[in-house]
Amino acid sequence: MKIIDQVLLTKGARRFGVNLSDLKQFGGFTNNVFEVNSDRGTFMIKYYPSSMYEKHSIESELDWIIYLFESGVNVTAPIVSINGKLLEVVVLNNEEVCWVVAFEKAKGKFVDVSNDEEWNSNLFYSWGKTLGKDKKERLE
């Protein structure tokens, strides 16, 4: 997959108070996720090129994540930019070319799907139990 243009990376990073040199390629579907280690802490920045993503879809995703977070589900919370926004818009030549969001870095590690000690019925049971809790249970 093509890595996002350096100009867009720089503009997006600045919106969250960091420099291009602070970004470390992390992955994502289109190589659009970066880890940041800065004096603001460690967090993730995700870039959404407008050629591939709809702005309203990103806003809906943010709304859903905030709802889950406020309901006590253990999700990574979005981080506001230095402008106080959850969703930043990068404009080039009077065109919205990219949207940028940042999230807390999730604690923990990836589940190793090839390891039967991790990827098993116990994991699915715990996962389902967490998703099936009502708000009151999650907050206790």
Side-chain angles (χ1 to χ4, degrees), residues 11-18 40 43 79-88 102:
K11 287 179 175 279
R14 287 182 181 157
R15 305 285 169 83
F16 290 92
V18 297
R40 286 185 71 187
F43 58 96
I79 297 172
V80 296
S81 69
I82 60 173
N83 300 318
K85 298 177 181 179
L86 290 175
L87 177 64
E88 282 287 350

Side-chain angles (χ1 to χ4, degrees), residues 82-134:
I82 60 173
N83 300 318
K85 298 177 181 179
L86 290 175
L87 177 64
E88 282 287 350
V89 179
V90 176
V91 176
L92 292 176
N93 301 320
N94 296 318
E95 181 182 347
E96 293 182 346
V97 294
C98 192
W99 298 285
V100 187
V101 298
F103 294 93
E104 297 173 346
K105 183 176 180 188
K107 294 173 178 66
K109 64 180 188 75
F110 288 106
V111 175
D112 181 356
V113 298
S114 65
N115 181 345
D116 292 339
E117 295 293 318
E118 293 181 31
W119 189 254
N120 56 38
S121 59
N122 292 332
L123 171 72
F124 296 117
Y125 176 80
S126 296
W127 191 354
K129 189 174 175 182
T130 300
L131 291 173
K133 288 181 182 178
D134 70 18

Side-chain angles (χ1 to χ4, degrees), residues 3-16 18-20 22-25 27-36 43-50 52-53 58 87-88 90 97-103:
I3 295 176
I4 296 175
D5 180 277
Q6 299 268 329
V7 173
L8 296 180
L9 292 177
T10 300
K11 287 179 175 279
R14 287 182 181 157
R15 305 285 169 83
F16 290 92
V18 297
N19 298 311
L20 178 63
D22 296 319
L23 301 181
K24 177 184 171 192
Q25 181 77 49
F29 181 66
T30 57
N31 291 321
N32 61 333
V33 179
F34 297 82
E35 183 175 352
V36 175
F43 58 96
M44 309 304 286
I45 295 181
K46 186 171 183 178
Y47 292 80
Y48 297 85
S50 62
M52 299 178 70
Y53 299 92
I58 301 163
L87 177 64
E88 282 287 350
V90 176
V97 294
C98 192
W99 298 285
V100 187
V101 298
F103 294 93

Side-chain angles (χ1 to χ4, degrees), residues 60-73:
S60 295
E61 181 181 334
L62 287 169
D63 288 344
W64 175 241
I65 292 168
I66 291 166
Y67 169 78
L68 292 172
F69 182 78
E70 290 175 349
S71 296
V73 176

